[in-house]
Amino acid sequence: MTTGRILIVGASRGIGLGLVRSYLDDGWTVHATTRTPEAPGELGSLAGPIFVHGFDVLDDTDGLVPAVGGLDVLIHNAGVGRGTPRDLMMAVNAEAPIRVVQAFLDAGSLTTGGRVVIVTSQMGARRGSTESLGDYGDSKAALNDEFRARADTWAERGLVAVVVHPGWVRTDMGGEAAPLSIEESAEGMRTLIARLGPENHGGFWTWDGREHPW
Ligand SMILES: NC(=O)c1ccc[n+]([C@@H]2O[C@H](COP(=O)([O-])OP(=O)(O)OC[C@H]3O[C@@H](n4cnc5c(N)ncnc54)[C@H](OP(=O)(O)O)[C@@H]3O)[C@@H](O)[C@H]2O)c1
């Protein structure tokens, strides 16, 4: 897949915005969501085939799904970090990605060979432990658990779906001490997504193409 149609959910800043820039530069048709379409910031100044949609992942998907239409790749990137109340963290990080992806699949927006990438975190890796990983880690672990529970069903649709840890990245969430730039993370994720095949379906991957333990 060299170019195509991609949706990036949670694209106002950080890694999501980096993914938008990268895919646009390479000639993709990009659908990008922001919670503040009236003040889109950099999203509003990018040249090329970009469609900006107002969407909060806590909202229903009834308007978004038909507005976006057919897709080759869906990346659910939106997330909240430490300091967010636990209930909101679970709703945004664990429940919303599954609900949003399921809505696009139910609508038939992604066809055979389509790719679904949900941005998770290495902080959500349980590694066999039953101890709490903290609110943020618990939310990403719950996301990973539900993703694994649905992976077989999603595979039946001929899709390749994965969860990906984007690395520790210099964003508002990752902080200034993080070793990776947004561009490095976005390019790594793009390389990974481009080479995903059916044998990779249902996996937990890192931005630099390694499988991550659950
Ligand atoms: N940075 C890291 O080191 C790191 C490490 C591991 C995993 N991650 C994951 O990578 C993803 C992106 O992180 P980031 O570092 O780029 O974070 P960020 O700079 O804080 O950006 C977060 C993005 O998520 C959006 N968002 C938050 N709540 C939303 C909601 N309710 N509805 C729609 N969009 C919402 C934000 O939109 P607004 O601008 O409207 O707030 C923003 O676009 C997250 O899932 C995060 O958990 C990041």
Side-chain angles (χ1 to χ4, degrees):
M1 199 181 290
T2 47
T3 62
R5 304 155 299 171
I6 186 168
L7 167 65
I8 298 159
V9 177
S12 58
R13 55 195 167 94
I15 296 165
L17 181 59
L19 287 164
V20 169
R21 280 197 221 102
S22 177
Y23 277 99
L24 258 187
D25 281 351
D26 242 20
W28 285 63
T29 297
V30 178
H31 292 267
T33 76
T34 171
R35 289 193 284 186
T36 53
E38 68 288 355
E42 196 179 328
L43 266 186
S45 64
L46 295 173
I50 178 168
F51 300 88
V52 177
H53 305 267
F55 181 60
D56 186 313
V57 299
L58 299 175
D59 292 343
D60 70 50
T61 53
D62 293 356
L64 182 68
V65 172
V68 169
L71 287 171
D72 300 295
V73 179
L74 191 172
I75 302 180
H76 194 292
N77 166 76
V80 286
R82 291 194 179 96
T84 306
R86 185 176 174 92
D87 285 358
L88 182 59
M89 182 97 82
M90 295 303 285
V92 173
N93 288 358
E95 294 156 22
I98 300 291
R99 189 170 42 77
V100 170
V101 168
Q102 189 69 61
F104 277 92
L105 299 189
D106 289 347
S109 306
L110 285 126
T111 47
T112 304
R115 286 154 207 197
V116 171
V117 174
I118 301 178
V119 180
T120 185
S121 170
Q122 64 182 6
M123 307 287 283
R126 297 188 195 276
R127 298 171 190 267
S129 168
T130 53
E131 286 180 18
S132 171
L133 301 165
D135 288 349
Y136 179 73
D138 284 349
S139 71
K140 294 292 191 178
L143 165 65
N144 292 354
D145 289 348
E146 188 58 28
F147 170 76
R148 294 173 84 183
R150 297 205 188 199
D152 283 353
T153 314
W154 289 359
E156 286 166 14
R157 298 163 188 258
L159 301 167
V160 181
V162 298
V163 291
V164 175
H165 167 60
W168 182 20
V169 188
R170 288 189 295 280
T171 62
D172 293 339
M173 190 187 298
E176 289 177 5
L180 281 178
S181 69
I182 288 170
E183 291 74 20
E184 287 169 316
S185 174
E187 288 311 311
M189 287 173 64
R190 279 201 50 194
T191 303
L192 170 72
I193 293 165
R195 74 166 173 80
L196 286 175
E199 69 281 7
N200 304 127
H201 175 77
F204 181 1
W205 293 83
T206 63
W207 85 99
D208 56 352
R210 291 172 292 127
E211 255 192 290
H212 198 289
W214 294 101

